[in-house]
Amino acid sequence: MRLFWLEFKRLTTSLTFLIYAVIVFAFIMLNAWSMVNSHLSKIPQPGSGDYDYIISKDDATLKTNALDQLKLEHHSNEYETYPAGFEKIVSLNKQKQAKVKLILNQAEKARTKAMLARQLQDVDHLLGGHSAYSHQNLQGFSFHPMTRREALHDHQLIMTKDKISGTFARFFADIAGIIVGVLPTIVVISYCYSDRRSKALPNIQAKFTSTGKWLITRYAASLLSLILPVFLTGILFTVKVANLYSHFSINYFAFLQATVFWVLPTLMVSTAVGFLSYAIFANFIGFAIQIGWWLITMTIGARQVSGNYGWLFIPRHNSLHNVAYYYNHLGQLTLNRIGYTLIALALMGLAIVIFNFQRGGKSYAFKFKKINYHRHSGQ
């Protein structure tokens, strides 16, 4: 435990951490603080602006929206695709355009969602993939404005299952996930790099500590440090929600639960990437890699921000509504978060193996001077 708290103190008192904490706090506050003023306790009325877009369970909505967009893109011969997460407009030759027209005619006769998905997948293949017509992106065509009945059901879920604060916490976690999906990597690399510059761990007392134990301890201390600004910001949100909705039953632990369940797995991965990339490159190249991953997942998630989980590194639910979708897909989101937790642990396991290899396979001591000597002599 002494080693853990020493690592925690070293990181939280560094200038890099201070900058990180300020950026995280500012990012969450600027993007989520004002939404707490939304009057979720009021029953939504037609024309009030409280009717949001939600994901429909009705396959007819998906079919109509998908075919309408395909007709427009076919007419202009400009199809949107997103290879590597960036928009690319694809134009087809006459032969492929004719195939798309044939698929359109067949898709209009599709009786089931499965049949429609197979036909639109053919369009995706013609476009070279990464389009809205692929199996994984097709659900994005299900968005439609809430009906009166859906708005009332949405409000009921907010008041009973979410207990108001759960709704805000979900939005809060969406915003926090964006920033912790990338910043922790640079913090960890900078932290490790500072040790390399000093050529030793100052008073770390890890001379007889195994590489695995030392890295696991440092990883745990880093996670506690890096999640702390998110947790403290969540407390501010809890206080504000409690004051605004003092006459209602709210979940006082909603923001803590969202931080642990939703945000922490993302932070675990971005932190682990920092340790692993430093073990491999011993410089800041890993941060560029993480930025690339972050941009790709953000671009994919942006196609359906009010409810998009699947296997996204940063699950999206940038809406105070679409609550039924959240509870209907909670199992999917849970698998997502468990999956990325396991990925983070696997990345750290690989980092331990690499560090062990660098020090000649010995497991009873971790000495930076020895590691630096091997790196320089090997090169």
Side-chain angles (χ1 to χ4, degrees), residues 51-340:
Y51 281 34
D52 204 348
Y53 278 78
I54 65 170
I55 299 174
S56 173
K57 293 182 179 179
D58 182 11
D59 292 343
T61 299
L62 185 152
K63 180 179 179 179
T64 299
N65 291 341
L67 295 186
D68 284 349
Q69 177 168 319
L70 184 55
K71 289 175 183 176
L72 287 173
E73 293 189 333
H74 176 262
H75 178 73
S76 63
N77 194 14
E78 293 181 348
Y79 302 86
E80 291 184 2
T81 63
Y82 293 86
F86 298 98
E87 183 181 24
K88 176 184 177 182
I89 302 298
V90 174
S91 296
L92 302 178
N93 57 35
K94 291 183 179 181
Q95 184 180 6
K96 290 185 177 181
Q97 274 285 78
K99 289 182 179 179
V100 172
K101 185 175 182 179
L102 178 61
I103 292 172
L104 259 173
N105 293 330
Q106 294 172 338
E108 289 178 340
K109 301 175 184 177
R111 297 180 181 179
T112 66
K113 180 181 176 180
M115 293 174 61
L116 178 68
R118 285 195 298 270
Q119 290 158 351
L120 292 180
Q121 186 68 41
D122 291 337
V123 175
D124 184 68
H125 290 322
L126 290 171
L127 298 175
H130 310 289
S131 74
Y133 307 108
S134 64
H135 282 298
Q136 60 267 35
N137 296 327
L138 199 58
Q139 194 63 40
F141 289 113
S142 295
F143 276 86
H144 73 285
M146 287 191 294
T147 63
R148 169 68 173 169
R149 181 179 179 181
E150 289 169 335
L152 291 176
H153 179 57
D154 188 77
H155 179 261
Q156 182 185 25
L157 291 174
I158 290 173
M159 300 301 295
T160 57
K161 299 197 72 172
D162 277 350
K163 293 186 176 179
I164 299 177
S165 55
T167 305
F168 293 124
R170 194 160 46 243
F171 190 101
F172 169 89
D174 173 273
I175 298 299
I178 294 173
I179 196 67
V180 304
V182 66
L183 276 191
T185 303
I186 188 67
V187 175
V188 169
I189 294 176
S190 177
Y191 187 42
C192 293
Y193 193 74
S194 66
D195 287 331
R196 183 187 181 189
R197 286 187 302 173
S198 65
K199 299 183 179 180
L201 289 173
N203 302 318
I204 200 67
Q205 296 184 356
K207 185 176 180 180
F208 301 103
T209 303
S210 69
T211 303
K213 181 179 179 180
W214 181 84
L215 273 179
I216 291 172
T217 301
R218 172 169 272 204
Y219 181 55
S222 299
L223 291 179
L224 179 59
S225 304
L226 296 170
I227 201 67
L228 194 58
V230 180
F231 174 70
L232 294 177
T233 308
I235 292 177
L236 291 179
F237 276 81
T238 302
V239 172
K240 183 172 184 179
V241 172
N243 288 333
L244 289 175
Y245 296 90
S246 57
H247 300 297
F248 297 90
S249 175
I250 69 170
N251 178 6
Y252 290 96
F253 298 99
F255 287 89
L256 173 61
Q257 292 167 345
T259 298
V260 174
F261 170 68
W262 194 303
V263 182
L264 182 58
T266 299
L267 184 142
M268 288 180 68
V269 173
S270 58
T271 302
V273 169
F275 281 107
L276 178 59
S277 62
Y278 187 80
I280 297 173
F281 305 110
N283 54 38
F284 291 88
I285 291 177
F287 184 53
I289 296 174
Q290 184 63 17
I291 288 177
W293 187 6
W294 181 82
L295 285 173
I296 290 172
T297 194
M298 285 299 298
T299 303
I300 295 173
R303 301 176 196 171
Q304 192 175 308
V305 294
S306 63
N308 195 350
Y309 313 143
W311 286 106
L312 279 178
F313 170 49
I314 304 172
R316 302 306 311 272
H317 199 109
N318 195 260
S319 171
L320 295 177
H321 300 282
N322 204 26
V323 184
Y325 179 89
Y326 169 75
Y327 285 108
N328 290 335
H329 294 81
L330 186 55
Q332 182 188 76
L333 178 60
T334 301
L335 287 176
N336 174 296
R337 299 292 77 191
I338 293 174
Y340 277 102

